[in-house]
């Protein structure tokens, strides 16, 4: 999880991924950032995120993204 | 019966009375009957097309739901008996089946849209460039075909993605597709947000009637007082655009920006107001787009429902598809380096190659999406040009974003200062304004010539022959337009600065002031609105899509 947050910080500087829980709702992450995050998840963790999983609830926090990755790995 | 006609409002009144008189559980049937009658009155011949789309999507979604249900059932039965490989193989097999069903319905419906919209254009190109003698279809586009096709296909893709179970009742689904206020020019609705509101039957509330009525009036004000006046002016100015000076050409672009915004957002306000009076909150389609500080932001504030649809069902699937991600990852792999670059370096802490690998999948997908947006606007090269203009600017703004940030830091620009924000807003308005050239020009080359003319020395307010330009409107009409635009600007500025809705603020502060202003708006529409014989007020620019 720590490494995942470090990876997220490389994509979007200046966002507190440890604390933020409304990344999409508050406009901190845009669609272009989401695409880059999915690229990073594919590259670093080998997990394929399908377009149907690109929902605000799955990207509003680092924890939500991590949980989505666990679900998709199952 | 158009959205600004008395007949339409008499129809809405009748629907409201019947809707609120009958039992709640039957109210959705009133909306369905009203929607079918409305569509039949406006475009009876197009009815088979919309019914086909509704029926095929409903059946396809049920089929998809059945496959998913069966898969889940077998999974649950075999829970402990299956090894992961067998489970994965079965999942792959059902996914393949679902993909085929999805593809079948998508091809059928988008095929109809493509043939009706683009067949004649393709035939024209073949006949002109290859000396063919193919005959044209010559079929008028079914009313609202883009909007109801996009909305239905969005529903189907959501069912495919298992976001929700399919609707089993064909009549309830038909209501979602045909809901009468949105059929002419949107907004394109998300099933999960709109359908439950349509089906459950809303309570009669004074606030809903009041806010809905006020929104309708505001929409009519923008459409009938401002947009329809400017449409008259454009009718005079556009035919002589090649003879007039550059200054007038810039003015034409400004007039078109104002007309398009007031026409489209005014129409959507009427639609959302009617929905509001029925207790149904429809999707927001505009959020003061001309306050955007960048082109990407503009597309999050202009025609929001279409852009959200394209982002969800086109941009994301392209950008996160395996070939696109692999393409980006391959570039990054080539440039793996242990050396950490500082965050404030030219490419934001990455090498140029690494940066390319990170942004190219999204940037290329954006370019493709905007090319499709352009082509969706119309079957001609100039609309493709509109898409390319937006797509290329966004492509390079994504690619060069770290460089811009680097420059801002080097030049010590205060990005939170009002001056910088105003500059960003003006810069975006110019980019957007110039893009509308593709809308009003007579072809692609004419659009490029017009853009070029905007950057050459400005001449006086006369034609090349030195005669005065006829703007098509009298001085008093221009007074009404300017006053109207100032009111729209003041309301937008208030919303932008406070984040509050004017209607709610006024009602919270003083109910009687709110009603006086409502009455004032009604009087303004009656006195200054463009209607009557010879005025095509019912026509909306976005109706043709």
């Amino acid at each position: 999880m720590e490494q995942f947050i470090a990876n997220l910080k490389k994509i979007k500087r200046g966002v507190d991924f440890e604390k933020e829980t409304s990344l999409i709702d508050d406009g901190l992450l845009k669609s272009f950032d989401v695409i880059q995050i999915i690229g990073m998840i594919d590259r670093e963790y080998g997990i394929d995120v399908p377009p149907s999983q690109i929902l605000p609830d799955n990207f509003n926090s680092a924890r939500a993204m991590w949980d989505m990755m666990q679900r998709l790995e199952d | 019966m158009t959205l600004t006609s008395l007949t339409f409002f008499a129809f809405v009144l009748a629907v409201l009375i019947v809707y609120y008189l009958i039992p709640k559980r039957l109210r959705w049937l009133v909306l369905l009957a009203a929607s079918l009658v409305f569509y039949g009155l406006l475009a009876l011949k197009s009815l088979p097309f919309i019914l086909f789309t509704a029926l095929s999507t409903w059946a396809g979604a049920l089929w998809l739901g059945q496959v998913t249900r069966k898969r889940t059932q077998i999974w649950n039965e075999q829970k402990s008996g299956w090894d992961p490989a067998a489970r994965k193989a079965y999942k792959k097999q059902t996914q393949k089946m679902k993909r085929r069903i999805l593809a079948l319905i998508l091809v059928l419906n988008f095929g109809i849209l493509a043939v009706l919209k683009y067949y004649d254009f393709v035939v024209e190109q073949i006949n002109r460039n290859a000396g063919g003698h193919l005959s044209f279809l010559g079929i008028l586009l079914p009313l609202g075909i883009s909007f109801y096709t996009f909305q239905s296909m969005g529903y189907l893709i959501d069912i495919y993605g298992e976001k929700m179970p399919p609707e089993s009742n064909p009549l309830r689904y038909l209501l979602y597709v045909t809901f009468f206020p949105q059929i002419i020019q949107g907004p394109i609705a998300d099933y999960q947000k709109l359908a439950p509101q349509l089906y459950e039957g809303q309570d009669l509330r004074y606030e809903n009637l009041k806010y809905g009525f006020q929104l309708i009036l505001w929409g009519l004000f923008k459409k009938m007082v401002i947009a329809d006046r400017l449409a008259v002016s454009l009718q005079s100015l556009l035919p002589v655009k090649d003879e007039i000076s550059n200054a007038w050409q810039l003015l034409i672009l400004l007039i078109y920006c104002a007309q398009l915004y007031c026409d489209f957002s005014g129409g959507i306000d009427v639609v959302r107001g009617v929905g509001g009076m029925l207790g149904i909150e429809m999707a927001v389609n505009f959020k003061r787009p001309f306050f955007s500080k960048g082109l990407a932001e503009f597309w999050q504030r202009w025609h929001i429902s279409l852009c959200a649809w394209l982002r969800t069902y086109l941009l994301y699937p392209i950008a996160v598809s395996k070939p696109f991600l692999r393409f980006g990852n391959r570039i990054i792999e080539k440039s793996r380096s242990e050396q950490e670059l500082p965050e404030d370096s030219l490419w934001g802490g990455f090498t140029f190659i690494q940066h390319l690998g990170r942004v190219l999948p999204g940037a290329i997908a954006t370019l493709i999406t905007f090319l499709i947006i352009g082509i969706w606007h119309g079957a001609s090269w100039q609309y493709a040009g509109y898409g390319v203009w937006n797509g290329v600017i966004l492509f390079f703004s994504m690619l060069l974003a770290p460089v811009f940030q680097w420059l801002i830091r080097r030049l010590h620009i205060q990005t939170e200062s009002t001056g910088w924000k105003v500059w960003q807003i003006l810069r975006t308005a110019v980019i957007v304004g110039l893009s509308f050239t593709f809308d009003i020009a007579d072809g692609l080359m004419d659009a490029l010539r017009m853009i070029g003319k905007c950057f050459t020395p400005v001449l006086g307010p006369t034609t090349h022959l030195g005669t005065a330009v006829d703007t098509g409107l009298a001085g008093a009409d221009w007074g009404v337009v300017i006053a109207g635009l100032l009111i729209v600007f003041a309301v937008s500025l208030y919303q932008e600065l406070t984040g509050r809705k004017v209607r709610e603020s006024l009602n919270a502060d003083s109910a009687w002031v709110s009603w006086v202003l409502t009455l004032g708006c009604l009087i303004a529409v009656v006195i200054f609105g463009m209607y009557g014989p010879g005025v095509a007020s019912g026509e909306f620019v976005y109706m043709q899509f």
Side-chain angles (χ1 to χ4, degrees):
Chain A
M1 182 76 179
E2 266 175 42
Q3 184 54 46
F4 178 61
I5 289 180
N7 288 335
L8 288 173
K9 284 181 175 172
K10 281 185 192 168
I11 290 171
K12 191 78 177 177
R13 316 269 186 207
V15 172
D16 190 351
F17 283 101
E18 279 99 351
K19 287 187 183 151
E20 291 290 349
T21 54
S22 302
L23 292 165
I24 302 289
D25 297 342
D26 290 349
L28 295 170
L29 288 184
K30 306 284 185 200
S31 51
F32 194 53
D33 302 317
V34 171
I35 292 169
Q36 289 194 47
I37 290 170
I38 292 172
M40 178 270 287
I41 292 173
D42 177 65
R43 194 166 54 246
E44 303 294 336
Y45 303 91
I47 297 170
D48 177 19
V49 180
S52 60
Q53 291 297 314
I54 309 178
L55 304 166
D57 285 350
N58 285 343
F59 286 86
N60 260 333
S61 67
R63 167 56 61 188
M65 293 180 222
W66 186 255
D67 289 345
M68 173 190 70
M69 288 161 63
Q70 307 308 312
R71 277 201 311 277
L72 289 170
E73 236 182 348
D74 284 344
Chain B
M1 183 162 56
T2 61
L3 287 186
T4 56
S5 67
L6 278 177
T7 329
F8 174 70
F9 291 109
F11 175 79
V12 169
L13 185 65
V15 173
L16 282 170
I17 292 169
V18 180
Y19 183 78
Y20 285 120
L21 274 181
I22 68 160
K24 267 179 84 172
R25 63 189 170 81
L26 299 175
R27 285 182 186 167
W28 69 273
L29 283 168
V30 176
L31 295 182
L32 176 63
S35 300
L36 293 177
V37 168
F38 183 75
Y39 200 89
L41 286 173
L42 254 67
L44 190 60
K45 284 183 184 166
S46 304
L47 208 53
F49 289 100
I50 195 170
L51 289 178
F52 174 80
T53 295
L55 193 68
S56 62
T57 321
W58 169 78
L62 271 188
W63 194 0
L64 284 170
Q66 204 177 25
V67 174
T68 306
R69 220 173 25 253
K70 196 175 164 195
R71 184 201 64 197
T72 313
Q73 194 188 340
I74 291 177
W75 264 1
N76 289 338
E77 283 169 8
Q78 303 287 337
K79 221 171 209 173
S80 50
W82 260 0
D83 61 78
R87 188 183 158 97
K88 212 171 177 179
Y90 181 67
K91 188 182 175 187
K92 210 173 167 184
Q93 188 191 331
T94 49
Q95 272 307 105
K96 200 174 166 186
M97 175 72 177
K98 284 174 68 180
R99 248 196 317 272
R100 282 183 182 161
I101 299 169
L102 178 70
L104 172 72
I105 310 294
L106 289 183
V107 167
L108 270 177
N109 285 282
F110 280 130
I112 292 173
L113 178 64
V115 168
L116 293 179
K117 205 161 176 171
Y118 304 109
Y119 181 85
D120 285 355
F121 172 72
V122 173
V123 164
E124 189 191 330
Q125 298 302 312
I126 293 171
N127 287 353
R128 187 189 296 164
N129 300 317
H133 298 285
L134 298 168
S135 52
F136 294 102
L137 269 183
I139 296 178
L140 210 61
L141 269 185
L143 182 71
I145 184 166
S146 288
F147 297 107
Y148 73 68
T149 304
F150 280 31
Q151 187 164 301
S152 308
M153 297 308 106
Y155 164 78
L156 191 75
I157 297 168
D158 283 352
I159 298 293
Y160 170 81
E162 298 171 32
K163 284 187 187 170
M164 65 221 175
E167 171 56 56
S168 57
N169 186 331
L171 293 179
R172 277 157 70 103
Y173 181 69
L174 184 62
L175 168 59
Y176 165 70
V177 178
T178 59
F179 182 46
F180 76 93
Q182 67 181 21
I183 203 69
I184 290 181
Q185 55 175 4
I188 299 166
D190 178 337
Y191 181 84
Q192 285 174 297
K193 287 179 184 149
L194 179 68
Q197 299 186 74
L198 296 175
Y199 302 157
E200 74 189 27
Q202 304 297 320
D203 290 321
L204 176 61
R205 287 180 207 273
Y206 169 68
E207 282 76 19
N208 288 343
L209 292 177
K210 183 173 66 177
Y211 288 154
F213 180 64
Q214 288 173 336
L215 192 55
I216 289 172
L217 278 182
W218 179 237
L220 291 178
F221 177 79
K222 285 195 275 185
K223 165 71 178 154
M224 294 170 75
V225 176
I226 305 171
D228 288 344
R229 247 186 198 82
L230 292 176
V232 172
S233 176
L234 284 172
Q235 277 170 12
S236 288
L237 288 171
L238 281 176
V240 295
K241 68 178 171 20
D242 296 336
E243 297 154 26
I244 58 180
S245 66
N246 300 3
W248 275 102
Q249 190 164 285
L250 283 169
L251 194 65
I252 288 178
L253 271 180
L254 277 176
I255 292 173
Y256 183 68
C257 284
Q259 190 237 349
L260 188 62
Y261 175 66
C262 289
D263 181 282
F264 196 9
S265 73
I268 291 290
D269 285 347
V270 172
V271 164
R272 294 188 70 240
V274 172
M277 291 182 92
L278 289 160
I280 293 160
E281 197 181 332
M282 298 169 74
V284 173
N285 222 24
F286 291 92
K287 272 188 189 160
R288 305 168 296 286
F290 288 103
F291 282 92
S292 305
K293 293 189 279 295
L295 190 58
E297 188 186 334
F298 175 83
W299 283 104
Q300 286 161 5
R301 288 166 162 243
W302 174 275
H303 210 341
I304 297 169
S305 64
L306 174 72
C307 293
W309 193 97
L310 290 165
R311 190 168 53 244
T312 308
Y313 303 111
L314 191 67
L315 176 75
Y316 283 148
I318 296 173
V320 305
S321 65
K322 279 212 159 58
F324 269 65
L325 289 184
R326 259 183 230 147
F327 168 66
N329 289 343
R330 215 171 293 148
I331 297 174
I332 291 173
E333 291 298 332
K334 279 186 184 166
S335 181
R336 285 263 186 209
S337 132
E338 294 305 315
Q339 190 195 344
E340 284 273 325
L341 291 167
E343 278 184 26
D344 60 354
S345 63
L346 187 63
W347 296 102
F350 299 97
T351 64
F352 172 62
I353 301 292
Q354 284 171 340
H355 173 69
L356 275 187
R358 282 155 36 89
V359 302
L360 271 183
I364 295 172
T366 303
L367 192 59
I368 295 170
T369 303
F370 273 92
L371 190 60
I372 291 171
I373 288 180
I375 295 168
W376 173 78
H377 273 83
S380 76
W381 295 116
Q382 73 196 79
Y383 289 116
Y386 177 68
V388 169
W389 172 274
N390 281 283
V392 166
I393 291 173
L394 283 170
F395 180 87
F396 282 105
S397 68
M398 287 171 179
L399 219 59
L400 299 174
V403 178
F404 294 142
Q405 290 304 317
W406 180 82
L407 272 174
I408 284 169
R409 282 194 300 272
R410 288 292 151 119
L411 297 172
H412 303 291
I413 293 169
Q414 300 297 316
T415 52
E416 288 307 306
S417 68
T418 308
W420 177 251
K421 285 179 183 169
V422 170
W423 151 250
Q424 286 181 302
I425 289 170
L426 290 175
R427 179 194 60 186
T428 309
V430 169
I431 291 171
V432 171
L434 288 175
S435 76
F436 288 150
T437 313
F438 292 98
D439 240 2
I440 56 176
D442 302 318
L444 181 62
M445 295 318 289
D446 188 43
L448 295 175
R449 188 197 54 74
M450 279 180 79
I451 291 175
K453 210 173 161 186
C454 290
F455 291 101
T456 48
V458 171
L459 303 172
T462 55
T463 67
H464 287 330
L465 303 172
T467 52
V469 177
D470 177 16
T471 64
L473 291 177
D477 281 316
W478 279 113
V480 171
V481 166
I482 290 165
L485 285 173
L486 283 175
I487 292 170
V488 172
F489 176 72
V491 168
S492 303
L493 191 64
Y494 174 82
Q495 291 172 324
E496 193 66 18
L497 295 176
T498 64
R500 297 179 71 191
K501 286 180 182 170
V502 175
R503 283 171 296 153
E504 285 169 8
S505 305
L506 283 172
N507 282 297
D509 293 344
S510 166
W512 74 267
V513 172
S514 157
W515 277 115
V516 167
L517 286 176
T518 305
L519 191 65
C521 196
L522 177 65
I523 291 169
V525 171
V526 172
I527 295 177
F528 300 116
M530 302 279 281
Y531 52 89
V535 179
S537 178
E539 287 177 12
F540 286 84
V541 176
Y542 265 75
M543 268 175 85
Q544 59 188 307
F545 302 113

